[in-house]
Amino acid sequence: MMRRSIFTFLQNFHHLSSTPSLLLLPFAVSTLLSPPLTASSYLFPLVHGRLRSLFLAAGIPPQSELFAVLNLKLSQTILSFIFSLPFTLSFLLLAKAAIIRLLHHHHHDRDLFSWIKTLNRLLITQICSSLLILSANATCFCLLAISFNISDVLGLSSPRFQLLVSATGAIIYSIVLANAYIICSLGMIASAAEGCSGFSSILKAVVVIRGRTSTALSLAVPVNMALAAVEALFQYRVVRAYNRAMRLDSPMVFESILVAYLYAMILVLDTVVGYVFLKSCRAECQNIYHHSESKDFESVL
């Protein structure tokens, strides 16, 4: 599957490396700049304090290892999401529409009305996907709070037991969020390729991914590791150099644009991988359906 995705990417490299990558460049810059900007923002202590109060009110013990990590990461994620939201709803959706329409129709479609319809479907699906991820976070948080409260009622409040609950909660939280992100990503691709929108495209992604979760996760892990590596490269080469010199010069700006373009190219590859995976799942489902129909016909004969 990954080899087929890379072959598709290289086959359309001259198209995918131009318009979609340039459209993704502002989103990539906003994503790479969001961690240092949110960490130095005056909103970060406010959000961090509110989440800390919420965790304490929910009964999560502050001495738990998960308490500090979850509080910090959720604060950073919320502020980064708010900072990148305008670029997500504009440049990211435009780039995804360009990539999927190129792969699905095998040519550049310049029909303005069709483009507007595709963007409207992607916008509705993006909003529904955000609500689904928010619901997944809230569900995991509620289950974690219930687990800690039940352990307090039963008198199981030893440090080892809290560590066990924290580790189990972190594993479950990671699995739920990984599946939610994969379903939402496939829902976006189904929305642009199959003409559906909103929760119907997400439901189609759930049906398609059923029984193939391990394959989807194995495809998502390398791409996300590559994105994390580029983010670390940006922090090391650009943010660290800026903090040391406290000024921007031409080589630093050029290097930051180059790293952001690399990040955009990986995002393009991620969309190609999702499209190839969705197309393969559709073909497999159709083969199973036709095979079952032929068996039924033979049994009738």
Side-chain angles (χ1 to χ4, degrees), residues 11 28 55 59 83 97 144 150 161 165 184 215 232 248 250 258 262 265 274 280 288 292 296:
Q11 194 176 22
F55 291 162
F83 179 76
L144 188 64
I150 290 175
F161 187 79
V165 175
C184 291
T215 305
L248 283 174
S250 300
L258 184 62
L262 180 61
M265 289 292 291
S280 175
I288 293 174
S292 62
D296 293 339

Side-chain angles (χ1 to χ4, degrees), residues 111-147:
D111 187 5
L112 181 60
F113 182 70
S114 179
W115 266 92
I116 293 174
K117 287 177 64 177
T118 303
L119 288 176
N120 286 334
R121 291 197 301 267
L122 284 174
L123 179 61
I124 295 172
T125 308
Q126 180 67 40
I127 294 173
C128 295
S129 299
S130 300
L131 293 175
L132 177 63
I133 293 174
L134 179 63
S135 302
N137 279 278
T139 302
C140 293
F141 172 72
C142 291
L143 292 175
L144 188 64
I146 290 171
S147 301

Side-chain angles (χ1 to χ4, degrees), residues 6-294:
I6 295 174
F7 175 76
T8 305
F9 175 75
L10 295 177
Q11 194 176 22
N12 302 277
F13 182 78
H14 56 292
H15 295 302
L16 296 175
S17 60
S18 55
T19 303
S21 299
L22 293 176
L23 285 173
L24 278 170
L25 197 58
F27 173 77
V29 171
S30 68
T31 304
L32 293 172
L33 285 177
S34 59
L37 290 179
T38 54
S40 59
S41 174
Y42 70 94
L43 292 174
F44 181 77
L46 179 63
V47 175
H48 190 271
R50 294 292 183 181
L51 286 177
R52 179 180 174 84
S53 302
L54 179 63
F55 291 162
L56 290 174
I60 300 177
Q63 65 271 16
S64 172
E65 294 282 343
L66 190 61
F67 185 90
V69 175
L70 193 61
N71 195 0
L72 178 63
K73 292 300 180 182
L74 279 180
S75 302
Q76 293 175 347
T77 302
I78 291 171
L79 291 176
S80 298
F81 173 78
I82 295 173
F83 179 76
S84 304
L85 184 61
F87 302 95
T88 303
L89 298 180
S90 55
F91 294 102
L92 179 63
L93 297 186
L94 281 170
K96 281 186 176 291
I99 295 167
I100 297 169
R101 290 175 68 86
L102 173 64
L103 296 176
H104 195 64
H105 299 288
H106 304 289
H107 62 83
H108 286 287
D109 190 358
R110 299 182 179 180
D111 187 5
L112 181 60
F113 182 70
S114 179
W115 266 92
I116 293 174
K117 287 177 64 177
T118 303
L119 288 176
N120 286 334
R121 291 197 301 267
L122 284 174
L123 179 61
I124 295 172
T125 308
Q126 180 67 40
I127 294 173
C128 295
S129 299
S130 300
L131 293 175
L132 177 63
I133 293 174
L134 179 63
S135 302
N137 279 278
T139 302
C140 293
F141 172 72
C142 291
L143 292 175
L144 188 64
I146 290 171
S147 301
F148 278 112
N149 282 281
I150 290 175
S151 64
D152 288 339
V153 170
L154 297 177
L156 302 172
S157 56
S158 63
R160 288 186 178 180
F161 187 79
Q162 288 183 358
L163 180 61
L164 177 62
V165 175
S166 300
T168 306
I171 293 172
I172 295 175
Y173 187 77
S174 301
I175 293 173
V176 171
L177 277 188
N179 284 276
Y181 277 112
I182 289 171
I183 289 170
C184 291
S185 178
L186 289 178
M188 294 288 293
I189 296 171
S191 176
E194 300 182 2
C196 51
S197 63
F199 287 110
S200 61
S201 61
I202 296 175
L203 288 175
K204 283 188 176 182
V206 172
V207 173
V208 165
I209 205 175
R210 186 179 56 186
R212 305 175 182 89
T213 308
S214 59
T215 305
L217 287 173
S218 64
L219 291 174
V221 167
V223 178
N224 282 276
M225 288 179 64
L227 291 175
V230 175
E231 290 177 4
L233 179 64
F234 184 83
Q235 295 295 318
Y236 179 75
R237 295 292 302 174
V238 179
V239 177
R240 184 181 177 186
Y242 175 77
N243 292 333
R244 185 179 300 171
M246 295 307 295
R247 65 183 180 86
L248 283 174
D249 50 10
S250 300
M252 193 182 302
V253 173
F254 179 75
E255 189 171 5
S256 62
I257 294 175
L258 184 62
V259 175
Y261 183 77
L262 180 61
Y263 192 87
M265 289 292 291
I266 297 174
L267 288 175
V268 171
L269 179 60
D270 183 34
T271 306
V272 173
V273 170
Y275 176 80
V276 171
F277 176 68
L278 182 67
K279 187 177 179 181
S280 175
C281 292
R282 286 295 186 194
E284 186 178 346
C285 290
Q286 289 178 0
N287 290 333
I288 293 174
Y289 177 74
H290 291 315
H291 184 66
S292 62
E293 275 192 341
S294 62

